[in-house]
Amino acid sequence: MILLGTLTDACGATGQRGWICQAAYELTGSEDFAKVAETVSTPIRLILVLVVAAITAWVVRRLVARSLRHARDNDRISSFRIQGDIPKLSDLELQRREGRFSTLTVALQNIASVIIWVVAGFVFLDQLGYEIQSVLVAISAISVVIGIGAQQIIKDFFGGLFILMEDQFGVGDVIEAGNASGKVESISLRVTRLRDVEGVVWWIPNGTIAEVGNRSKEWSRALLDVEFDPTVDPGSAISVLEGVGAEIMTDPEWSSRITADPEVWGVQKMNADSIQVRLVVKTIPLEQWAVARELRARIDVAARAAAVPLAGQPITGPVGEGNPISPNRASRPSAPEGEAGNR
C-alpha cells in the first residue's frame, strides 16, 4: 500500500500516469527521480512526434516521386493507353510528359506533406494535454467557413489536377478556352496562363474551364477553302490544287512539316460570285498556319500559270521569269514568333 501510494503521489492515479514516470519509479524507487523523468518526458515526446513526422514526410515524398517517375518512364501508363501498340513519342510529347509529371509530383508531395503534418499537429496537441475532440470541433467549424469562402479555389485545384492527369493540354499547346485563345505558357493546379497572337496574357482559373479546344494535340491540319472565279470548270480548279499539293511535297523544307499527302475534298460551295474548293493538309503540331500561308502563295502562282483565275483575279498568261512571285519564295520558311493562336 505504501508503494502504490508513493507511486500515485509521484506519477498520478492509475490511467493518468505516464509510462516513463512509472518505469523510472519502478527502477529507482525514488519519487523525485520519477517526477523529473515525467517532466523531461513531455518535451522528449514532442520532439519524437516532430522527428517521426519529418521522417514520414520525407519517405512519402520520395515514394511519390519514385512512383510517378516510374509512371513517366512507362509509355503505356504515362500515355493512359489500355491496349494497342505504343508509338514512339516525339520530342514535343516527351517535353509535355515531363512537365505534366513534374507538376503532378510536386502537387501530390505537397498534399501528402500537409496530411502528415496535420496528423502530427493533433498528436502534438494531445501530448500537451489538450482535448483533441474540442480542437476537432473548433477546426471543423473553421473549415466549414473557409470551405464556403474557398469553393472556387478548391474547384480550380481539382480542375487543374484533372487537366494534368488527362493531358488535356500542356505548355506549348495552342488552345481555345472560352473567350481566350493562345499559346499555353504555364499551368499550375489553380490557373492556366495563355498568350494570344497579339501578345496579350490571359490568366484562366482552371475551375472555370468548362470546355477547351486544343489546336496542337498530336497533329494539326491546314484547311484552305479556295475561291475560284465562277466561270472556272470545277475539274480544273481541283487539278490546280492537286498540283500545288504534289509540288509542296517535293520541297524538303515543307514536306518535313507535313505528315500526309495533301487532299482535295472537292467543291464546298457554289454561288454567283465564286466556286469554293477545299484543300486540307495534315501537319505536325503548330505548323498548320505556316503551311497554309505557303499554300496560298503557291496556289496564286499556279492559278495564274494555268489560266484558272481565283475569284476577283483577272485571267493572265503563264508565269515567266519576270513574274515577281516565285513558289519557293512565296512565304517565310517558318512562322514568326508569336504566331501561335493565329487562325
Side-chain angles (χ1 to χ4, degrees):
M1 295 298 294
I2 295 176
L3 177 61
L4 290 176
T6 305
L7 180 59
T8 300
D9 292 339
C11 302
T14 302
Q16 297 180 352
R17 63 180 65 130
W19 66 271
I20 294 179
C21 179
Q22 183 173 342
Y25 182 82
E26 291 176 350
L27 288 173
T28 64
S30 171
E31 180 180 340
D32 293 337
F33 186 81
K35 289 182 177 180
V36 172
E38 179 65 19
T39 302
V40 174
S41 69
T42 299
I44 291 177
R45 289 196 300 268
L46 296 178
I47 293 174
L48 284 176
V49 169
L50 297 178
V51 170
V52 171
I55 294 175
T56 304
W58 180 81
V59 171
V60 171
R61 291 174 70 90
R62 290 291 298 270
L63 288 175
V64 169
R66 184 173 181 178
S67 299
L68 288 180
R69 188 162 54 247
H70 173 71
R72 180 198 63 191
D73 295 337
N74 187 317
D75 289 337
R76 188 177 298 278
I77 295 176
S78 64
S79 301
F80 297 97
R81 299 186 180 93
I82 305 300
Q83 58 185 358
D85 296 333
I86 302 174
K88 183 178 179 181
L89 298 179
S90 65
D91 292 340
L92 178 60
E93 290 174 322
L94 290 173
Q95 293 176 3
R96 288 166 53 90
R97 185 178 64 177
E98 181 69 27
R100 185 170 78 253
F101 276 90
S102 296
T103 304
L104 280 174
T105 299
V106 173
L108 294 179
Q109 285 178 334
N110 291 338
I111 292 172
S113 296
V114 168
I115 294 174
I116 291 170
W117 284 107
V118 167
V119 173
F122 286 135
V123 176
F124 194 91
L125 292 175
D126 180 62
Q127 295 298 318
L128 289 176
Y130 290 96
E131 289 291 337
I132 298 300
Q133 292 181 349
S134 301
V135 175
L136 288 175
V137 171
I139 291 178
S140 299
I142 295 174
S143 299
V144 170
V145 175
I146 294 176
I148 294 174
Q151 287 184 17
Q152 186 58 50
I153 295 178
I154 296 173
K155 185 178 179 181
D156 293 340
F157 177 85
F158 282 104
L161 191 62
F162 282 109
I163 287 173
L164 292 170
M165 291 181 63
E166 297 171 0
D167 193 23
Q168 297 177 15
F169 55 83
V171 174
D173 282 345
V174 175
I175 67 170
E176 293 183 1
N179 295 325
S181 65
K183 188 173 184 178
V184 179
E185 291 192 335
S186 67
I187 306 174
S188 67
L189 288 179
R190 199 190 72 81
V191 69
T192 295
R193 187 179 72 184
L194 307 181
R195 187 179 298 274
D196 67 18
V197 68
E198 296 179 350
V200 178
V201 176
W202 296 80
W203 298 85
I204 308 175
N206 293 326
T208 64
I209 301 178
E211 56 185 23
V212 60
N214 193 331
R215 289 182 170 270
S216 52
K217 180 75 171 178
E218 298 176 358
W219 55 272
S220 300
R221 173 177 284 156
L223 187 149
L224 290 82
D225 286 329
V226 184
E227 296 186 350
F228 290 88
D229 190 89
T231 61
V232 170
D233 176 64
S236 300
I238 292 174
S239 296
V240 168
L241 297 186
E242 288 177 340
V244 171
E247 177 190 10
I248 199 170
M249 291 300 293
T250 63
D251 188 338
E253 181 179 355
W254 294 99
S255 61
S256 60
R257 310 181 190 192
I258 300 173
T259 60
D261 290 335
E263 300 178 8
V264 179
W265 285 1
V267 178
Q268 291 293 114
K269 186 188 301 183
M270 299 180 67
N271 55 44
D273 298 320
S274 66
I275 297 175
Q276 188 180 90
V277 183
R278 175 163 292 181
L279 170 65
V280 295
V281 182
K282 190 175 180 180
T283 72
I284 61 177
L286 301 179
E287 290 294 334
Q288 64 269 39
W289 297 293
V291 171
R293 283 195 299 271
E294 177 69 13
L295 285 170
R296 290 189 188 98
R298 290 176 181 249
I299 289 170
D300 179 75
V301 173
R304 294 176 184 273
V308 180
L310 301 174
Q313 181 185 76
I315 299 177
T316 60
V319 178
E321 296 180 357
N323 194 314
I325 302 177
S326 173
N328 293 329
R329 303 293 183 184
S331 66
R332 299 177 62 180
S334 60
E337 187 70 24
E339 175 63 24
N342 188 16
R343 301 191 296 278

